[in-house]
Amino acid sequence: MMKTFQFIVRSQFKSSKVTQNPGGFTLIELLVAGLISVLIITPLLGFMISVMTTDRKEQAKANSEQEIQTAVNYIARDLQQAVYIYDNAGVTAIKDELPDGTGQSPLLVFWKRELVPNVVPAADNTKDDAFVYSLIAYYLIKDTNSTWSKAARIARWQIKDGVSVNGQYISPPDQGFAPFADKVNNADSLEDGMNQWTQATPASNAPVTPLIDYVDQSTNSVPPATCPTTTATNTWSTITPANGMTGFYVCVDRENITAQVFIRGNALARLENDANKIKYSVANSTYFPTTNVMVQGKGFLFK
């Protein structure tokens, strides 16, 4: 029995001396692994940043293209009911009658015939539609207002006549509105009469409402504003801002109640906050999408 006990003790003592080799990585192995990780991750990170930057730029271009197309479509629909469009001489003649201020420049000014639904009482106790005249002006504005971008913006102003029945207004005109009929009837021509139009007193308090931002504000090295060629039946007049910007300009054929509207966007202004970095150049011309539309007014002018 004693010998058996001694054998067991010796066996346990020997097994307790068996040691395990420690596990893990050496410092050199960790350094090599870290270096390999850096060599792999750095190019991938650079690639991801490049992809994200490119996507941001392409998105800015797409947004500008979509917005200027939407704006030109809106203006085209507005012009479709035009009865008279002022050429450059006409805009100059009535400029003092339109809202003015720092950085504001009226470019597209016209009268249109506008539908007013469900306003005239009828014999069957329903209400009929009516048509009235409105004076519309589109502006290109460049100022320091921090609400908007450092590029330019297009804005719209309107005053509208009221609805009258038997000489009595059942719907009042906008403040400042005055009909053009008396001016036209006492003038030598339609053009002279329209150019003599003046606001009623008190003057209009209607706001100049922004339509679209991020319009090109550049004045140097931009494509020249060109209108269609004047012919025996078409006399075109170019209307551009006095400050030399051509991000929004208009060509008008007054005789045929036709206008061609050009808009150039500025996608760079969506990406940069520095005014010196958002100017047009040939190298960055892809950031300045352009669109245009030609519209002939189809409204009826009753004098």
Side-chain angles (χ1 to χ4, degrees):
M1 174 65 75
M2 183 59 69
K3 290 182 179 180
T4 304
F5 178 74
Q6 291 175 346
F7 174 78
I8 293 173
V9 172
R10 284 198 297 269
S11 298
Q12 291 296 325
F13 181 75
K14 289 179 180 180
S15 63
S16 66
K17 292 184 178 181
V18 178
T19 58
Q20 301 287 336
N21 290 329
F25 297 100
T26 66
L27 180 59
I28 294 177
E29 290 173 332
L30 290 174
L31 290 175
V32 171
L35 178 60
I36 293 174
S37 299
V38 169
L39 293 175
I40 294 175
I41 294 175
T42 300
L44 290 177
L45 184 60
F47 175 73
M48 290 180 61
I49 293 175
S50 176
V51 169
M52 293 175 63
T53 301
T54 300
D55 181 70
R56 181 167 172 259
K57 291 179 179 179
E58 292 303 320
Q59 188 62 49
K61 293 178 185 179
N63 288 343
S64 288
E65 290 173 358
Q66 182 178 9
E67 288 182 6
I68 65 172
Q69 187 60 56
T70 300
V72 84
N73 291 342
Y74 181 93
I75 295 172
R77 289 193 297 270
D78 221 7
L79 276 168
Q80 285 176 349
Q81 294 303 316
V83 298
Y84 186 88
I85 306 175
Y86 286 92
D87 58 12
N88 190 51
V91 172
T92 301
I94 70 166
K95 183 177 180 181
D96 291 342
E97 299 301 318
L98 304 176
D100 195 12
T102 303
Q104 296 188 145
S105 180
L107 295 178
L108 176 60
V109 184
F110 58 95
W111 289 91
K112 79 170 188 177
R113 194 164 178 257
E114 188 167 1
L115 173 68
V116 181
N118 303 321
V119 66
V120 180
D124 58 356
N125 294 323
T126 62
K127 290 187 176 182
D128 293 334
D129 300 338
F131 286 91
V132 298
Y133 290 116
S134 290
L135 179 62
I136 313 290
Y138 282 91
Y139 290 77
L140 181 62
I141 301 175
K142 175 69 176 75
D143 55 23
T144 57
N145 189 330
S146 59
T147 303
W148 307 99
S149 73
K150 293 185 182 297
R153 63 188 182 274
I154 296 173
R156 182 181 184 272
W157 174 82
Q158 175 181 9
I159 52 174
K160 182 172 63 176
D161 195 5
V163 178
S164 62
V165 176
N166 298 324
Q168 299 293 321
Y169 277 113
I170 60 173
S171 173
D174 291 339
Q175 180 174 308
F177 180 87
F180 52 76
D182 290 342
K183 300 288 186 181
V184 171
N185 292 334
N186 295 324
D188 294 333
S189 66
L190 175 63
E191 178 187 3
D192 289 341
M194 288 296 194
N195 290 356
Q196 293 174 25
W197 179 84
T198 56
Q199 284 199 41
T201 303
S204 170
N205 59 359
V208 179
T209 306
L211 175 67
I212 180 179
D213 198 2
Y214 298 104
V215 177
D216 182 24
Q217 81 298 340
S218 306
T219 57
N220 299 321
S221 303
V222 296
T226 56
C227 288
T229 304
T230 295
T231 65
T233 57
N234 297 87
T235 303
W236 291 96
S237 171
T238 306
I239 308 176
T240 56
N243 54 18
M245 294 186 296
T246 58
F248 174 48
Y249 65 94
V250 183
C251 302
V252 172
D253 175 11
R254 177 179 50 76
E255 293 290 341
N256 293 298
I257 319 175
T258 302
Q260 186 167 12
V261 179
F262 298 81
I263 300 177
R264 182 169 56 252
N266 187 340
L268 276 182
R270 300 175 183 273
L271 304 170
E272 299 282 355
N273 197 39
D274 187 342
N276 294 320
K277 295 181 179 180
I278 61 173
K279 296 180 180 179
Y280 178 92
S281 70
V282 176
N284 61 22
S285 59
T286 58
Y287 290 95
F288 294 81
T290 61
T291 188
N292 70 89
V293 65
M294 184 180 292
V295 183
Q296 184 173 31
K298 298 178 181 179
F300 297 96
L301 179 61
F302 296 96
K303 297 184 292 181

